[in-house]
Amino acid sequence: DPNRFPDDPEEIDKYLNQFPLFAKERPPKEEQSEAWQMVEAMESMVDPKVRAAGLKDNGNECFKAGRKRWNDAMEYYRQALDVGCGDLRMESQVLSNMALIHMKQQNYGKA
């Protein structure tokens, strides 16, 4: 039964990934569930600048929450850049924020 929660720990992530709320990553388009297709449709209705700014704001909140949330902040910042909104000022702020996290983590080569 495809709707039954798996017993095998290796299958749990794959199962949960079909639900956007619990997913660790976005599946490829050809593997997206109906729920993912609805998320994509809703995202396409949002102005890219608004979407990117929201992701940047989420990243900022994670950064302010402290060291334990810096990886989450980096992921939000990556997603903000992936939107490709064309707002060079906002994108440069996101890149600066990412560099700051790398500096604080002493990843100087990545900064």
Side-chain angles (χ1 to χ4, degrees):
D1 177 17
N3 293 323
R4 187 174 172 277
F5 195 81
D7 295 325
D8 180 3
E10 293 180 15
E11 293 293 315
I12 292 174
D13 281 342
K14 184 178 178 181
Y15 176 81
L16 290 176
N17 210 46
Q18 64 185 321
F19 305 104
L21 181 63
F22 303 109
K24 290 185 177 179
E25 61 187 30
R26 186 179 298 248
K29 285 202 183 287
E30 62 274 0
E31 296 176 19
Q32 288 182 355
S33 65
E34 186 176 339
W36 273 111
Q37 292 169 10
M38 288 189 287
V39 167
E40 296 248 335
M42 288 187 292
E43 287 176 346
S44 70
M45 292 187 272
V46 177
D47 180 321
K49 288 183 181 181
V50 171
R51 185 162 170 245
L55 291 164
K56 182 187 111 179
D57 292 343
N58 289 345
N60 292 345
E61 291 302 315
C62 289
F63 177 78
K64 290 176 194 173
R67 181 178 303 276
K68 290 182 180 182
R69 297 291 311 275
W70 287 352
N71 288 336
D72 295 332
M74 291 295 277
E75 182 58 32
Y76 279 119
Y77 293 146
R78 276 189 211 96
Q79 289 177 18
L81 292 174
D82 288 345
V83 170
C85 70
D87 182 340
L88 298 180
R89 182 175 182 177
M90 193 273 304
E91 289 176 354
S92 69
Q93 291 170 345
V94 168
L95 290 168
S96 294
N97 293 352
M98 293 174 81
L100 176 62
I101 291 173
H102 283 304
M103 294 293 288
K104 288 188 170 281
Q105 293 175 329
Q106 298 180 347
N107 295 331
Y108 303 116
K110 292 183 178 181

